[in-house]
Amino acid sequence: MQDLTGIPVVGIVPYFRDIKIEEEDSVALEMKQNSWQEGKINVAIILLRRMSNFTDFDVLEMDPRFNPYYTNNREEIEKADIILLPGSKNTIADLQDLRAGGIAEAIVRAFKAGKKVIGVCGGYQMMGIRLEDPDGVEGPIPAIPGLGLLPLCTVIEQEKVTRQTEFIFLPDPAGTVCKGYEIHMGRSERMNGAPDSPVVQLTDGQSEGYYVSDHCWGTYMHGILDNPAVLDHLAEGLKTGSVASSFNYDAFKDSQYNKLADWVRAHMDMEYIYSTLRVPEKEG
């Protein structure tokens, strides 16, 4: 088939609504309108202005035990069972915004009331005692107090850490091997006198993150919630009207990409596409 210009048309892929794949950017957050729900584990994900790696929490939308919602409303934060602090493209600036809007105070109050507070990457850095930026990587502010939930000091550095990892989630007694990835600019170290209490043990022997209790921990590990062992630990001790069973997000993602591939194949001239990729046989 050809269009009016004579250019081959290999197919038209119809719009679909029943295939769930991760969005490319945070514009999709504007479509998420959830709020607190009865009978679910309610998870308030702090809506940062400079939020990054928002796909860290997609798994919560798929697991029937959880009701995640993105918010910077103080009442909805304090009503939640779990508060998640996400990554940020500028941790210090977002932490300033949280303080100016009273959101930082609401997070601390929720923590003191026994709610679970967990940070990932920039959110993990915010949970410490202090953040320092001596080289002005994020801006002109050299240092700022953190939320004070973890005994850590973070120094923002110019070199970015990027790596895929396998690790053991230490609160999981089964010692299941999990997967995740790191992408951050900063080094977090425990304050003098604080116990050594990591969240994960990497397969290369390094440890990472800080664990105070089931109600308070943080990590640089993106994708950590995609692991069933971590997701089950997150739900532990919280009442839900749904069946409390493990949800395998990796298997779910594979099934969705397979559905997408089948949908594309069904509406494309695959034989023509393959023919353009074949190397012509040489004559003689």
Side-chain angles (χ1 to χ4, degrees):
M1 182 174 67
Q2 295 183 335
D3 66 8
L4 296 179
T5 65
I7 299 174
V9 176
V10 297
I12 299 173
V13 180
Y15 188 82
F16 57 83
R17 294 181 180 273
D18 61 338
I19 303 174
K20 171 68 176 178
I21 57 175
E22 294 178 342
E23 300 285 354
E24 290 187 21
D25 55 49
S26 59
V27 172
L29 296 182
E30 298 174 4
M31 305 297 292
K32 300 180 187 292
Q33 303 294 328
N34 284 5
S35 58
W36 191 92
Q37 289 184 25
E38 185 71 44
K40 296 275 191 175
I41 299 173
N42 286 280
V43 184
I45 303 163
I46 303 301
L47 188 57
L48 303 176
R49 287 179 59 193
R50 304 161 189 87
M51 185 174 174
S52 66
N53 300 87
F54 63 95
T55 55
D56 279 339
F57 313 113
D58 280 3
V59 61
L60 298 172
E61 298 177 17
M62 302 296 106
D63 191 316
R65 294 174 291 183
F66 298 96
N67 173 51
Y69 51 89
Y70 293 82
T71 184
N72 51 20
N73 180 287
R74 287 172 290 179
E75 291 184 4
E76 289 206 327
I77 290 169
E78 293 190 58
K79 284 173 62 178
D81 302 297
I82 302 169
I83 297 158
L84 294 180
L85 280 156
S88 169
K89 297 181 180 73
N90 191 310
T91 305
I92 290 177
D94 272 333
L95 182 54
Q96 284 185 299
D97 288 348
L98 295 186
R99 281 214 167 84
I103 300 167
E105 185 181 355
I107 294 169
V108 174
R109 280 199 303 267
F111 166 75
K112 291 180 178 178
K115 305 299 181 69
K116 295 187 179 185
V117 181
I118 293 155
V120 177
C121 199
Y124 167 49
Q125 295 175 338
M126 292 181 192
M127 292 173 69
I129 303 296
R130 187 171 71 252
L131 285 87
E132 299 178 357
D133 186 9
D135 298 326
V137 174
E138 292 194 345
I141 300 175
I144 187 174
L147 297 177
L149 304 182
L150 300 177
L152 302 172
C153 176
T154 294
V155 178
I156 306 297
E157 299 176 328
Q158 296 188 28
E159 184 177 354
K160 180 176 286 188
V161 176
T162 57
R163 59 178 176 176
Q164 292 184 320
T165 56
E166 291 188 344
F167 59 90
I168 304 296
F169 181 62
L170 295 176
D172 172 30
T176 308
V177 177
C178 301
K179 294 181 180 180
Y181 66 96
E182 294 178 61
I183 177 168
H184 61 89
M185 299 175 72
R187 171 175 43 86
S188 299
E189 296 184 350
R190 55 195 168 97
M191 307 291 283
N192 289 336
D196 185 14
S197 183
V199 173
V200 304
Q201 184 78 44
L202 279 60
T203 52
D204 63 5
Q206 298 182 58
S207 57
E208 191 278 322
Y210 200 90
Y211 180 84
V212 172
S213 67
D214 290 351
H215 285 79
C216 186
W217 53 271
T219 178
Y220 277 116
M221 201 65 62
H222 292 290
I224 190 169
L225 298 184
D226 293 358
N227 298 280
V230 181
L231 210 57
D232 289 346
H233 182 266
L234 195 67
E236 192 172 307
L238 297 173
K239 295 181 179 180
T240 170
S242 303
V243 176
S245 59
S246 296
F247 177 77
N248 191 321
Y249 191 45
D250 279 345
F252 175 80
K253 284 194 291 186
D254 284 346
S255 71
Q256 297 304 296
Y257 279 111
N258 286 334
K259 285 177 66 176
L260 178 60
D262 291 341
W263 185 251
V264 171
R265 288 192 189 100
H267 297 90
M268 304 286 279
D269 186 348
M270 298 305 299
E271 182 55 38
Y272 173 80
I273 293 173
Y274 291 141
S275 72
T276 65
L277 302 176
R278 296 189 185 109
V279 178
E281 294 183 5
K282 293 182 180 180
E283 296 183 3

